[in-house]
């Protein structure tokens, strides 16, 4: 399911005529300077919840541009909104995609965003899909005879001291640390 969501947005970004790159990563990685813009950034983590055999997943994505001057920021924000809206509408109208987009999505305009001073629009969208688990195969995933493996923290090894080594555990080490120049 998670891979399907990522691939769905990657596919939309790849086919959009304006978008030049797609990333699925944590939001603090935005603006590192090695992305091609206009950029589609799908934020990790994706979140979700189960409700009576349907999953509702919340995703955040941004469409980002690098403005050459402050006067073009509003136009680029408008273009980013339009691109995001087109992608959402394309997903809604594609019958081969097994998700529905709830109509309560939201957006946020961005200006001087992260280290590269990008601008654009960030979308928060809820996707709904049915539980795709094949309930007939659940027992195939379990083994009632299985035991969890236990591991020792350190490998065991033999010490051969032959009486030549002795450790005194009741003595504190003596340090001669100088605390002044004298």
């Amino acid at each position: 399911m998670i891979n399907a969501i990522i691939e769905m947005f990657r596919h939309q970004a790849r086919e959009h005529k304006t978008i030049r790159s797609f990333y699925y990563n944590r939001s603090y990685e935005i603006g590192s300077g090695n992305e091609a813009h206009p950029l589609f950034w799908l934020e990790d983590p994706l979140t979700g919840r189960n409700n009576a055999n349907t999953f509702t997943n919340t995703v955040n994505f941004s469409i980002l541009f690098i403005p050459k001057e402050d006067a073009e920021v509003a136009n680029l924000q408008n273009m980013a909104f339009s691109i995001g809206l087109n992608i959402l509408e394309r997903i809604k109208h594609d019958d081969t995609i097994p998700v529905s987009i709830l109509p309560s999505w939201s957006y946020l305009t961005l200006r001087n965003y992260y280290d590269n001073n990008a601008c654009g629009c960030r979308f928060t969208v809820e996707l709904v899909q049915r539980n795709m688990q094949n309930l007939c195969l659940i027992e195939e995933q379990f083994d009632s005879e299985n035991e969890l493996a236990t591991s020792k923290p350190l490998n065991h090894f033999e010490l051969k001291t032959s009486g030549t080594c002795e450790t005194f555990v009741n003595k504190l080490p003596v340090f001669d640390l100088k605390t002044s120049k004298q």
Side-chain angles (χ1 to χ4, degrees), residues 5 13 18 20 28 47 56 61-62 67 71 88 128 157 161-162 171 174 176:
I5 292 170
T18 306
R20 293 188 54 215
Y28 60 76
T47 61
T56 303
F61 70 89
S62 299
L88 293 176
V128 178
F157 53 92
T161 61
S162 67
K171 292 186 177 181
V174 176
D176 186 20

Side-chain angles (χ1 to χ4, degrees), residues 3-178:
N3 283 337
I5 292 170
I6 295 167
E7 287 305 314
M8 175 184 67
F9 283 109
R10 178 179 282 121
H11 177 77
Q12 298 301 320
R14 186 182 72 245
E15 290 189 358
H16 196 279
K17 291 180 180 179
T18 306
I19 301 296
R20 293 188 54 215
S21 62
F22 171 87
Y23 286 85
Y24 170 63
N25 207 340
R26 305 289 290 200
S27 61
Y28 60 76
E29 296 288 337
I30 295 174
S32 64
N34 56 0
E35 308 100 356
H37 287 78
L39 160 71
F40 186 108
W41 192 282
L42 180 61
E43 291 181 18
D44 179 30
L46 305 175
T47 61
R49 63 186 177 279
N50 180 51
N51 184 16
N53 290 328
T54 60
F55 291 117
T56 303
N57 302 291
T58 303
V59 299
N60 297 303
F61 70 89
S62 299
I63 308 296
L64 299 172
F65 290 88
I66 301 292
K68 290 182 176 70
E69 54 189 52
D70 286 344
E72 68 180 341
V73 169
N75 287 335
L76 292 175
Q77 288 172 331
N78 189 59
M79 188 181 298
F81 176 79
S82 177
I83 291 169
L85 182 59
N86 286 329
I87 288 172
L88 293 176
E89 290 298 322
R90 188 170 192 229
I91 291 169
K92 284 195 316 194
H93 291 96
D94 188 343
D95 294 333
T96 64
I97 297 175
V99 300
S100 298
I101 296 176
L102 292 181
S104 58
W105 57 269
S106 62
Y107 71 93
L108 175 72
T109 57
L110 305 170
R111 173 188 297 259
N112 295 326
Y113 196 54
Y114 282 91
D115 294 341
N116 60 359
N117 292 327
C119 68
C121 204
R122 181 177 185 264
F123 293 83
T124 300
V125 180
E126 290 190 321
L127 308 172
V128 178
Q129 69 184 94
R130 67 177 178 80
N131 182 347
M132 74 304 251
Q133 177 65 45
N134 183 344
L135 299 178
C136 297
L137 296 178
I138 289 178
E139 286 305 315
E140 296 291 324
Q141 307 296 319
F142 296 91
D143 179 5
S144 61
E145 303 297 321
N146 192 28
E147 291 292 327
L148 297 176
T150 59
S151 62
K152 297 178 183 176
L154 295 175
N155 294 334
H156 179 71
F157 53 92
E158 293 289 329
L159 290 178
K160 296 181 180 175
T161 61
S162 67
T164 60
C165 183
E166 202 172 332
T167 304
F168 300 103
V169 294
N170 58 349
K171 292 186 177 181
L172 296 175
V174 176
F175 296 102
D176 186 20
L177 300 175
K178 296 186 190 252

